[in-house]
Amino acid sequence: MRTDRRAFLARLAAMPFAIPALKRAHAATPIVAASLLGDDKPETLVWTHIKETVERELPGRFAFNIVPNAALGGEKEVAEGIRLGSIQASLSTLSNLSTWVPETQLFDLPFLFRDAARLQASLEGACGGDLGEKLAEQGIVAPAFINYGARHLLAREPLLSPDQVKGKRIRVIQSPLHAQLWESFGAHPIALPITETYNALSTGHVDAMDLTISAYAGFRLYEVVPHVTLTGHIHAAGAVIFSGRFWKGLDEESRSVLQKAATEGARHFNTLMAADEKTSMKAASESGASFHEVTDRAAWEAPARKVWESFAGRLGGMARIEAVQKNTCGS
């Protein structure tokens, strides 16, 4: 009897310590997800979708902190945070990741894909799988790929032919391929983070840039570059990315659920982006933007295709470029 009582009292005495320990064992794992744009844009909404999907499958397992409006920095800074593990999740254009994986530039070659469907097929096939492996080696886990939409030429004045681009100062993303693309037109590329473009354009530091329609409206760039030439020269591929350090610390169940949520989220993002592009074009037009169709597409393609030849040697040769275009990687 005394032994039973002593055992009971010992268990009772341990309970105040056991309960906090139990809570600590089941504390939610934080996920800081960085977005460059506002709460109403697909870049942020996709993380709400992923969060809700994960919470249905694993309630209380993760605590998402979605940080919009580039509060954690531009694309390059966020990618560096992903690799370091200080940021756990984000979206990124593939071109932004070329600093660590040059092969991402394969999907950034100008006029490589005729339409979004061909880009997506290549990303979801063996070509995208090869790319995912290379990103993982650099501490960036990319469970799903996305399409930001086509990039078009934005300018302070109408630039309706390649000849009119010559001599212009054009903002480019921090990628050698993008710099060389506009050099092929005789322009002077200036690499700047997206967060600095509005001021650079408004002060005349640069004359033009290229961007998707959604981001054009999201950053209100129509206020400083009201003319858009619909070149569609690059379909801006991207990825849902997680920190490799964060990913390695997860159990198999958590990784599986996040993988599934990212894949579903990527499809949701592409749907949102297609709708947002239409809304963004309408909003920009109502705010004074002018959209100009390309009348001689071959004239734009000719200089740009020189980039293929220039980059072929570092991207696996022309055969590799054509394999990505035709989605025949590994065959």
Side-chain angles (χ1 to χ4, degrees):
M1 183 79 71
R2 286 182 183 174
T3 302
D4 290 343
R5 185 170 181 273
R6 280 198 298 269
F8 171 76
L9 290 172
R11 288 196 299 272
L12 188 64
M15 282 181 68
F17 301 99
I19 292 171
L22 185 64
K23 287 182 178 176
R24 285 196 298 272
H26 292 84
T29 300
I31 296 180
V32 175
S35 172
L36 294 183
L37 293 171
D39 291 326
D40 61 332
K41 301 299 282 185
E43 287 83 351
T44 306
L45 292 172
V46 66
W47 287 108
T48 302
H49 185 83
I50 290 172
K51 172 187 174 182
E52 290 171 352
T53 301
V54 171
E55 288 182 346
R56 280 196 302 270
E57 296 286 330
L58 299 172
R61 181 78 60 90
F62 296 100
F64 280 81
N65 177 17
I66 303 168
V67 184
N69 294 313
L72 297 179
E75 265 199 314
K76 191 69 70 179
E77 292 83 4
V78 168
E80 287 170 347
I82 289 280
R83 295 183 74 241
L84 291 171
S86 57
I87 298 171
Q88 285 73 53
S90 189
L91 304 183
S92 178
T93 58
L94 293 187
S95 54
N96 177 55
L97 302 177
S98 65
T99 298
W100 303 282
V101 180
E103 290 84 353
T104 59
Q105 294 173 106
L106 273 164
F107 292 86
D108 239 12
L109 290 169
F111 300 104
L112 182 65
F113 299 104
R114 194 175 302 171
D115 53 42
R118 286 176 173 81
L119 166 64
Q120 202 63 34
S122 189
L123 287 170
E124 292 179 355
C127 301
D130 293 347
L131 197 60
E133 291 175 8
K134 293 183 182 300
L135 287 166
E137 291 170 2
Q138 297 300 318
I140 300 168
V141 175
F145 294 100
I146 55 177
N147 182 5
Y148 283 95
R151 297 182 79 94
H152 304 285
L153 179 62
L154 322 174
R156 300 167 71 191
E157 59 189 32
L159 299 178
L160 306 181
S161 71
D163 289 342
Q164 292 177 305
V165 177
K166 187 175 182 180
K168 299 295 183 185
R169 298 181 302 274
I170 184 165
R171 175 267 174 180
V172 297
I173 62 175
Q174 293 159 296
S175 159
L177 184 149
H178 281 244
Q180 190 165 325
L181 166 61
W182 293 108
E183 284 174 351
S184 73
F185 288 98
H188 305 297
I190 298 173
L192 289 172
I194 188 67
T195 49
E196 297 178 20
T197 53
Y198 188 101
N199 285 340
L201 289 160
S202 64
T203 61
H205 179 57
V206 293
D207 305 304
M209 65 180 289
D210 70 339
L211 199 61
T212 64
I213 299 297
S214 179
Y216 174 59
F219 287 105
R220 301 179 66 87
L221 292 174
Y222 48 77
E223 296 175 350
V224 286
V225 277
H227 293 279
V228 181
T229 305
L230 296 169
T231 51
H233 49 279
I234 292 173
H235 283 273
V240 180
I241 59 174
F242 290 90
S243 166
R245 295 187 181 190
F246 163 76
W247 196 263
K248 287 176 184 176
L250 300 175
D251 57 48
E252 270 191 50
E253 182 185 35
S254 295
R255 282 198 293 265
S256 176
V257 169
L258 282 171
Q259 168 83 52
K260 178 183 174 184
T263 301
E264 292 178 359
R267 294 193 202 102
H268 183 63
F269 175 87
N270 289 346
T271 300
L272 288 175
M273 188 58 74
D276 188 75
E277 185 167 281
K278 293 178 182 178
T279 302
S280 295
M281 184 174 283
K282 183 174 183 292
S285 296
E286 291 173 351
S287 297
S290 297
F291 292 87
H292 310 282
E293 295 287 345
V294 167
T295 56
D296 186 358
R297 191 164 190 81
W300 288 92
E301 289 182 359
R305 287 294 288 265
K306 294 176 185 175
V307 179
W308 290 30
E309 298 168 7
S310 176
F311 274 76
R314 43 192 135 165
L315 297 179
M318 287 299 291
R320 176 66 174 171
I321 293 172
E322 289 167 2
V324 170
Q325 184 184 39
K326 298 172 184 176
N327 190 23
T328 57
C329 299
S331 61

